[in-house]
Amino acid sequence: MPKPILLAIDDDTSVLEAVVQDLRRHYGQDYRIVRAASGAAALDICRQLKERKDTVALFLSDQRMPGMTGVDFLQQAMCIYPNAKRVLLTAYADTEAAIRAINSAKIHYYLNKPWDPPEEKLYPVLDDLLGSWKEGYKPPFEGIRVVGVRWSALDHAVRDFLSRNRIPYQWLNPETNPDALALLKEKGIDDAKLPVILFGDGTALVQPTSTEMANKVGLRTQAQQEFYDVVVVGAGPAGLAAGVYGASEGLRTLVIEAAAPGGQAGSSSKIENYLGFPEGLSGEELAKRAFLQANRLGAEFLTQKVSCIRSENQYRILTMADGQEVTCHVCLLATGVDYCKLDVPGADKLSGAGVYYGAALTEAMSCKEEAVYIVGGANSAGQAAMHFSRYADHVHMLVRGKSLENSMSKYLIDQIEATPNITVETGTEVIAMGGESHLECLTLKTPRGEEARQASSLFIFIGAAPKTDWMPEELCRDSKGFILAGPDLKAQSPKSWKLERDPYLLETSVPGIFVAGDVRFNSVKRCASAVGEGSIAIQFVHQYLATL
């Protein structure tokens, strides 16, 4: 971002040089010092700076200049930069005129020449003026801006991708911010094609895909090598742990994630029962720490979606959505699970437009002073309720069961009970949703009968299901899609294992393909458990590699 400007004006070149040197010595680190030899030249400079959208913090002008006095210049400059501080340099003979100009030209201060020493007579005055100017100054935002409407599934997907990848951005909603449309008009972009991402370099992406966003913000979408010892699919807690241990133990390790590091746990507002963090930590912070740790140890990360895995002899070949392929000795599946969809009228139509699966923390600020509804009674729902209670006027937890005791940790139950703007409604479920462009109402089945409620935000946490349909047919799964491994594989599908040796603890029906975390059959659905499985999976990877 360009530095704010201090503009010095004097027709006497020796005096002007002295002013500039004094300003540069004391303020050069934080401000750009610009000079002009007359009032007319200074006005031209002001107009040019305004066109370039530069900021002037202070004018320091001599009074006695031919053609235009300092007071005349400051009066005109005030129209161009009304918030800039205005200081007049005067001789003792001009003191009375300077005092009168404080009212007429709204001059903030006048200084008598000479001002030596500046440490006593110049800098204290300018320090006070610039300190006051900074208090009201809001520097222009020059980072990524997302122009999109709140009730749009595409807009939500864009903001969610940027947020979960920790990419700072400013969201501009044209419905509440008219300047957003002006920005699009400047670039010749049709405002009917929202969302649009505007970048500081002047480029834009219109209705971008996750791959387009990843490429633009600097995430890696092309593998650096063609072959790896182990490729981890999924960067949730299990995948991140595998990345840390694989890389630290000298394996060429690639971690592939379609969305963002952290997985479902990454969207948790606060995890309070994770070992070693007595005050708790957010899922985002946990994911960030693990990502940085794995990266530092040498694991490579790729933002891509895996569409196919096939085996050729002792090699596993992964095909990405864009067609590129990566080969490895071992593939570890740590894809986690997704929240189950709520199968009621209106749910599909309003998904992403007031109806969200998971925490959707990007929507928290939008819910300020509104009523928020959360469906579910497990820890993820409780963490979300606590988070949204900081923004929403009221949070309603809709729980189908009779209580939270059988599905939620005690510490969360206690926190919810102690939070006055959270109401737990047991024996209650959503049976319909309504709204045109976005969610407007809910129909609930309660112990008292059916009820209609006005609602604009609904967050759903109703169990989880694995997304394993794309995986090879020879990979054995249970009826729900969870991957069988180790003893469970031998017990559930003994004929699917073809080797003489028993499968390793986390090895699937395809030798060389392992599984860890929530996607594994019979896994414990806890963050710490997933981390443990991802860690010990590398032990079995070493054992498998030793047999090749």
Side-chain angles (χ1 to χ4, degrees), residues 326-407:
V326 171
T327 304
C328 59
H329 277 312
V330 176
C331 175
L332 173 63
L333 300 173
T335 52
V337 292
D338 285 341
Y339 287 110
C340 296
K341 303 297 182 182
L342 191 60
D343 186 18
V344 301
D348 289 341
K349 172 188 172 184
L350 299 171
S351 181
V355 177
Y356 308 99
Y357 291 90
L361 301 183
T362 52
E363 303 298 328
M365 291 298 294
S366 300
C367 298
K368 191 174 182 180
E369 299 180 357
E370 296 180 357
V372 166
Y373 285 81
I374 292 176
V375 178
N379 277 10
S380 53
Q383 290 163 355
M386 291 301 302
H387 180 73
F388 282 105
S389 69
R390 294 160 49 193
Y391 303 93
D393 181 63
H394 205 92
V395 176
H396 298 264
M397 292 191 69
L398 309 180
V399 182
R400 187 169 56 179
K402 294 181 180 180
S403 70
L404 296 173
E405 275 71 16
N406 294 330
S407 58

Side-chain angles (χ1 to χ4, degrees), residues 199-217:
F199 296 91
D201 62 3
T203 60
L205 289 177
V206 179
Q207 296 182 343
T209 65
S210 58
T211 301
E212 289 173 334
M213 288 188 283
N215 280 323
K216 184 63 181 177
V217 300

Side-chain angles (χ1 to χ4, degrees), residues 238-367:
L240 289 168
V244 167
Y245 280 84
S248 67
E249 295 176 16
L251 299 177
R252 288 169 293 181
T253 305
L254 175 68
V255 183
I256 305 174
E257 170 59 50
Q264 193 179 99
S267 63
S268 294
S269 56
K270 197 169 188 182
I271 303 171
E272 297 203 49
N273 57 358
Y274 194 80
L275 184 66
F277 292 88
E279 300 300 321
L281 79 167
S282 69
E284 179 185 12
E285 181 65 19
L286 177 64
K288 175 185 174 182
R289 289 168 180 255
F291 171 79
L292 293 174
Q293 186 179 20
N295 214 303
R296 181 179 64 82
L297 292 169
E300 180 185 336
F301 283 81
L302 196 63
T303 303
Q304 278 283 2
K305 182 178 181 180
V306 179
S307 59
C308 176
I309 302 175
R310 69 180 191 275
S311 300
E312 292 184 6
N313 300 318
Q314 74 267 39
Y315 302 110
R316 309 291 165 255
I317 302 171
L318 292 82
T319 304
M320 313 298 159
D322 65 355
Q324 67 172 298
E325 291 188 342
V326 171
T327 304
C328 59
H329 277 312
V330 176
C331 175
L332 173 63
L333 300 173
T335 52
V337 292
D338 285 341
Y339 287 110
C340 296
K341 303 297 182 182
L342 191 60
D343 186 18
V344 301
D348 289 341
K349 172 188 172 184
L350 299 171
S351 181
V355 177
Y356 308 99
Y357 291 90
L361 301 183
T362 52
E363 303 298 328
M365 291 298 294
S366 300
C367 298

